[in-house]
């Protein structure tokens, strides 16, 4: 064919493109439009320029479907350089920019479409503008509201979230290597970050010991990670900044700007560097998180679903037996929040093991992680257990299953007699939470021993201030208040503080209550 593209050939290409679109064959779809673009470039007539703009816009959609936003943006910009008011291209560019977290630029594109006033797209544009404005607000403030989703019992799609990095920075840690630190004071429930997983692996396992199922899930997860880093240089660079578990000295302190979304998210072609698979596997072995961790809450997933995932910035968070942060998982998103009040300069930590257990149990569990915890709580408990024969006897009594109410009373008497500080009381009560829980759950034991020990809400508040909020404590407090406990305004406010520390400031009071009620129903 010479010169102008013929109408018959153009119609044939359009029909083939429609068929490929219906089949969702995006590789052939983009190839077909690449062919059409090459034909259009042979002639600079007005008709061909219009066809070229449309072809570039459609190929951009194909690139976007193939997970190549850089190529999609390039095509959008080429199309807009020819026709700056091409509505379909402006919408496509706005969608790609939203995908990349460039919400301000996306809003500019979408507002241009609204200004142009194309009647057939008004409803679509309103929806996209509202979505983009919401995501921009989340990315700027970290404020989310999951209330509607929770109250609907997680019906419908997972709520739209956006990357947010709060008042945190990576520094050298006294715990081990590097850690995440606060740059300003925050109160319990404050959102510290919202981030999407590089990849996740999910599976419904018949039981915890389903080794074959776990191996299949892990392989699928690793394949997703390798596929991502082969296409995305920035993700590979970030993963290579994480520890591989071999050395915790001389590790690079990354600039916080590297964790913010930018247009360098993906490469437009093949990987620019060869992926060292062995090194990536070592990084995954050290940094992969599970959703059902003791310091996490999963919203909206079926019971029995196990998930592993890699979230880059949360991988810098170290363990402490006196943690100050918890995670909420929403789809592939991780929301990290303060589980108690935290001061500027304090390291952000969450629990790798159950911290509502005695020192020896925690130390045994941490052996699988390859380190010993040396937090203030562990040091205090090692000291008092080494000095106090009475406390060692009480610990032995818990193990042997002695009268728990009597042991709790003795424990409280020792702390009063020895003038143990309030935070340290919280440490000890957290270590023996199983015993306190057994007493407070039993009407008989509460009647027998209740006058000799602090009330449940006071004990819960003590633990909250020392080791952060925990869903088990929150549910027991709510259960006791429902069953005739003192539900005054002061205690209700304490309960809501516990709720915010447990789930974060991500929902309103009614949704908190619905979530807690659902948890109580599962326990009954």
């Amino acid at each position: 064919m010479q010169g102008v593209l013929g109408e018959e050939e153009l119609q044939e290409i359009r029909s083939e493109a429609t068929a490929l679109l219906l089949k969702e064959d995006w590789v052939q779809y983009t190839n077909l439009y690449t062919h059409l673009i090459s034909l259009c470039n042979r002639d600079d007539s007005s008709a061909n320029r219009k066809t070229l703009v449309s072809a570039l816009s459609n190929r951009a959609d194909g690139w976007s479907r193939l997970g190549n936003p850089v190529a999609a943006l390039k095509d959008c910009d080429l199309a807009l350089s020819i026709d700056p008011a091409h509505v379909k291209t402006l919408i496509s560019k706005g969608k790609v920019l939203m995908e990349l977290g460039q919400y301000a630029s996306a809003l500019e594109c979408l507002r241009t479409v609204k200004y142009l006033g194309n009647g057939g797209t008004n409803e679509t544009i309103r929806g996209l503008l509202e979505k983009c404005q919401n995501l921009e607000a989340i990315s700027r403030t970290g404020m989310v509201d999951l209330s509607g989703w929770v109250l609907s019992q997680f019906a419908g799609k997972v709520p739209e979230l956006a990357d947010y990095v709060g008042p945190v920075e990576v520094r050298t840690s006294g715990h081990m290597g590097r850690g995440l630190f606060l740059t300003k004071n925050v109160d319990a429930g404050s959102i510290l970050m919202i981030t999407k997983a590089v990849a996740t692996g999910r599976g419904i396992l018949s039981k915890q010991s389903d080794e074959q199922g776990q191996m299949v899930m892990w392989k699928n997860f690793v394949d997703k990670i390798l596929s991502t880093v082969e296409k995305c240089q920035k993700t590979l660079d970030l993963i290579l900044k994480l520890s591989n578990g071999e050395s915790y000295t001389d590790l690079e302190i990354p600039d916080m700007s590297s964790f913010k979304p930018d247009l360098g998210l993906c490469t437009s072609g093949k990987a620019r560097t060869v992926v060292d698979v062995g090194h990536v596997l070592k990084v995954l072995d050290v940094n992969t998180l599970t959703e059902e961790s003791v310091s996490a809450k999963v919203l909206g997933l079926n019971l029995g679903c196990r998930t592993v995932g890699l979230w880059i910035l949360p991988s810098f968070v170290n363990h402490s037996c006196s943690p100050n942060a918890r995670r909420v998982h929403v789809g592939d998103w991780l929301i990290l929040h303060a589980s108690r009040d935290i001061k500027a300069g304090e390291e952000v930590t969450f629990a790798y093991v159950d911290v509502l257990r005695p020192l020896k149990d925690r130390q045994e569990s941490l052996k699988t992680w390859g380190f010993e915890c040396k937090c203030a709580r562990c040091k205090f408990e090692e000291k008092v257990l080494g000095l106090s024969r009475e406390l060692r006897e009480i610990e032995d009594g818990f193990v042997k299953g002695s009268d728990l109410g009597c042991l709790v009373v003795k424990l409280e008497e020792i702390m009063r007699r020895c003038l143990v500080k309030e935070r340290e009381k919280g440490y000890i009560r957290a270590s023996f939470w199983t015993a306190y829980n057994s007493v407070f759950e039993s009407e008989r034991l509460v009647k027998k021993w209740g006058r000799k020990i602090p009330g449940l809400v006071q004990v819960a508040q003590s633990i909250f201030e020392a080791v952060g909020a925990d869903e088990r404590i929150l549910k027991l407090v709510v259960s006791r208040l429902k069953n005739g406990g003192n539900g005054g305004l002061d205690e209700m406010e304490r309960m809501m503080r516990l709720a915010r520390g447990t789930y974060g400031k991500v929902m309103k009071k009614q949704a908190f209550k619905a979530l807690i009620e659902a948890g109580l129903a599962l326990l009954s």
Side-chain angles (χ1 to χ4, degrees), residues 77-222:
D77 288 338
L78 282 172
L80 292 172
S81 68
I82 302 169
D83 182 0
H86 192 258
V87 170
K88 185 177 183 299
T89 304
L90 286 166
I91 294 173
S92 295
K93 184 175 181 179
K95 288 179 177 178
V96 174
L97 288 168
M98 274 199 286
E99 180 187 343
L100 294 176
Q102 303 295 303
Y103 302 113
S105 298
L107 281 171
E108 185 178 344
C109 288
L110 298 174
R111 283 169 178 158
T112 300
V113 176
K114 184 179 179 182
Y115 173 77
L116 291 172
N118 187 307
T121 61
N122 280 346
E123 186 176 343
T124 300
I125 291 303
R126 278 197 296 270
L128 285 173
L129 272 170
E130 183 179 354
K131 174 182 174 180
C132 193
Q133 287 166 344
N134 289 339
L135 293 177
E136 189 278 332
I138 292 172
S139 71
R140 181 167 38 82
T141 66
M143 295 178 63
V144 297
D145 186 0
L146 305 177
S147 300
W149 191 51
V150 172
L151 290 170
S152 70
Q153 298 182 339
F154 310 111
K157 293 182 179 179
V158 171
E160 297 275 0
L161 296 175
D163 281 287
Y164 165 74
V165 179
V168 295
E169 64 182 12
V170 179
R171 300 182 199 164
T172 301
S173 169
H175 281 92
M176 189 184 301
R178 300 162 299 183
L180 200 68
F181 291 80
L182 273 192
T183 58
K184 71 174 187 179
N185 297 345
V186 301
D187 58 355
S190 297
I191 306 302
L192 305 180
M193 74 174 74
I194 304 171
T195 183
K196 194 173 186 179
V198 174
T200 58
R202 287 194 172 90
I204 304 292
L205 304 183
S206 57
K207 51 186 177 180
Q208 193 70 22
S209 59
D210 185 354
E211 292 185 9
Q212 184 176 357
Q214 291 185 30
M215 288 178 62
V216 170
M217 184 176 66
W218 179 258
K219 181 182 182 305
N220 292 338
F221 166 63
V222 171

Side-chain angles (χ1 to χ4, degrees), residues 345-384:
E346 190 175 345
E347 183 171 359
V348 177
T349 57
F350 52 59
Y352 293 6
V353 300
D354 188 355
V355 297
L356 297 185
R357 293 162 61 195
L359 176 64
K360 288 181 182 178
D361 288 354
R362 301 197 310 273
Q363 289 175 332
E364 190 64 31
S365 295
L366 284 171
K367 286 181 181 178
T368 61
W369 291 88
F371 68 89
E372 294 182 15
C373 183
K374 295 297 182 182
C375 70
R377 175 187 174 189
C378 289
K379 289 179 180 178
F380 167 75
E381 290 187 48
E382 283 181 342
K383 180 179 179 181
V384 297

Side-chain angles (χ1 to χ4, degrees), residues 431-504:
S431 291
F432 298 111
W433 169 249
T434 300
Y436 282 93
N437 181 67
S438 297
V439 172
F440 289 124
E441 275 191 330
S442 168
E443 292 290 345
R444 180 182 63 82
L445 292 179
V446 168
K447 288 179 181 178
K448 182 177 181 181
W449 301 108
R451 294 183 180 180
K452 296 185 178 181
I453 60 176
L456 170 59
V457 174
Q458 183 180 338
V459 170
Q461 183 71 18
S462 168
I463 296 173
F464 169 70
E465 298 294 345
V467 303
D470 186 281
E471 192 170 29
R472 291 165 291 180
I473 298 176
L474 173 62
K475 287 176 179 176
L476 182 59
V477 170
V478 174
S479 178
R480 292 300 301 174
L481 290 177
K482 281 182 63 180
N483 294 329
N486 181 5
L489 289 177
D490 184 52
E491 294 199 347
M492 290 301 292
E493 177 54 34
R494 290 188 187 183
M495 185 193 76
M496 290 311 301
R497 274 179 55 77
L498 281 172
R500 290 190 288 270
T502 303
Y503 303 121

Side-chain angles (χ1 to χ4, degrees), residues 261-277:
D262 60 38
L263 298 184
L265 180 66
C266 293
T267 61
S268 57
K270 295 181 179 179
R272 287 175 282 168
T273 58
V274 176
V275 177
D276 183 342
V277 175

